[in-house]
Amino acid sequence: MLVAPSGEQCLFGDPHAGPGARLELRDWRACADILRAGDIGFAEAYRAGWLDTPDLTALLRLAIRNESALARTVVGSWLARWWYGLRHRLRPNSRTGSRRNIHAHYDLGNAFYQRWLDPTWTYSAALFQGERSRPLEAAQDAKYQHIVDTLGLKPGMRVLEVGCGWGGFAMHAARQGIHVHGITISAAQLEVAQQRVTQAGLQGLARLELRDYRDLDGEYDAIVSIEMFEAVGERYWPGYFQMLRQRLRPGACALVQSITIEEPRFKAYRASSDFIREYVFPGGMLPSPGRFLKAGLRAGLESRVTLAFGPDYAETLRRWRAAFEQGLDDVTAQGFDAVFIRTWRLYLCYCEAGFDEGRTDVMQFVLQRQA
């Protein structure tokens, strides 16, 4: 149902057939923004309060299912696509650019993330394994253990974690006697991660530091990288895969968990930008599964997909969104305004809809260095 600024209601389709959604236009300027810039224009209109809906995820899922009939409203004009594509290319993930891009998202404040993440401080897809009643903390531990089991990690092994976040995997593995060297370029994340490691008495097994992946040396028994690859940038993919190969001892494996996009949509996705890259993750770039595997092979790594669990990411996002909404008073008290809150709400719903509809997936890739 569409509700115009005048209050007039327009019903499209069969009201008894699902799914359905309600879009409330509060200002006609929203239409101009959407036609001009597609999903970015929709985001700008939503951030401005020019449109609203009682169920944002349902509206976004409906839009995805009807994309062929809404092409202009999804991608925007050619000029807008060119402009936003240029803006995206001007935010490269060089050493300096990566720090700036990561700071824009991960350094919003540890108190903000603590408000809606589970006690493991994990900001990546949980693994529910069909058990949707499973607590989020348990599902995150299940994901970490699945990584340990897939790589066959044993006490005493030396593991490199590229993008250690707030220390969730490093602590999980260290508790099993595995030595983890974790790196991050977020000073805010590192501060909390080191505190958590110290409080748990795991300093002898988990060593975390501020370092760019391009500045590593030495060889490891295994490498883990959980949803850091999206921040590498296509221009830097070859260097990232070469790093994996150089840091693995012969015969050893890396496990990289990454969000992926369907190959038929990759060309258009690469050519421009979108709401996520404009307002949430500057410099971000998702791979298609095929392109990820080919990039690994070009670097001399035998590559394969071992797990795809997009629906579990949708469930993870629902849990995060519920916790975020329950803590809005605290978020506001931290100094975040209404525009930020609407942006973050849209971000969580946007991702949830994408995973629910299969537009995006999350996969674990295992890459092995040949002798």
Side-chain angles (χ1 to χ4, degrees), residues 15 45 55 61 71 86 99 102 105 111 141 145 166 182 196 223 233 235 252 287 295 297 313 315 321 371:
D55 190 336
R61 292 186 69 176
L86 176 62
R99 288 193 295 272
I102 290 298
H105 185 82
D141 282 335
Q145 190 58 42
W166 287 279
R196 297 179 69 222
I223 298 175
R235 183 189 313 179
L297 289 172
Y313 215 150
E315 180 62 24
R321 179 161 58 92

Side-chain angles (χ1 to χ4, degrees), residues 273-353:
S273 187
D274 55 25
F275 157 64
I276 296 290
R277 288 176 286 176
E278 284 301 307
Y279 289 104
V280 185
F281 282 106
M285 184 68 180
L286 305 182
S288 69
R291 289 172 189 268
F292 185 101
L293 294 171
K294 288 177 182 177
L297 289 172
R298 282 194 292 268
L301 297 163
E302 182 180 315
S303 309
R304 64 188 187 278
V305 177
T306 60
L307 179 67
F309 57 118
D312 283 15
Y313 215 150
E315 180 62 24
T316 304
L317 284 152
R318 279 188 282 274
R319 305 289 184 92
W320 287 343
R321 179 161 58 92
F324 175 76
E325 297 289 357
Q326 289 169 6
L328 285 184
D329 288 345
D330 188 37
V331 172
T332 301
Q334 292 177 33
F336 296 105
D337 62 16
V339 172
F340 175 89
I341 289 170
R342 290 176 71 83
T343 301
W344 209 261
R345 180 182 294 129
L346 177 57
Y347 156 57
L348 295 172
C349 292
Y350 186 99
C351 294
E352 180 185 336

Side-chain angles (χ1 to χ4, degrees), residues 135-153:
L136 182 55
E137 181 179 4
Q140 295 291 9
D141 282 335
K143 184 260 305 291
Y144 289 145
Q145 190 58 42
H146 187 271
I147 292 172
V148 170
D149 294 342
T150 299
L151 289 173
L153 302 182

Side-chain angles (χ1 to χ4, degrees), residues 27-34 45 50:
D27 191 308
W28 286 115
R29 286 178 291 181
C31 298
D33 268 9
I34 294 169
W50 294 348

Side-chain angles (χ1 to χ4, degrees), residues 190-235:
L190 180 64
E191 180 183 3
V192 168
Q194 290 178 330
Q195 289 173 356
R196 297 179 69 222
V197 166
T198 300
Q199 290 168 359
L202 297 170
Q203 310 94 300
L205 289 163
R207 177 169 66 92
L208 310 180
E209 64 173 335
L210 200 67
R211 185 183 291 196
D212 191 287
Y213 71 89
R214 287 162 282 214
D215 297 327
L216 290 162
D217 53 24
E219 290 185 347
Y220 296 83
D221 297 314
I223 298 175
V224 173
S225 188
I226 304 172
E227 293 181 33
M228 173 271 181
F229 186 76
E230 302 87 334
V232 171
E234 187 178 8
R235 183 189 313 179

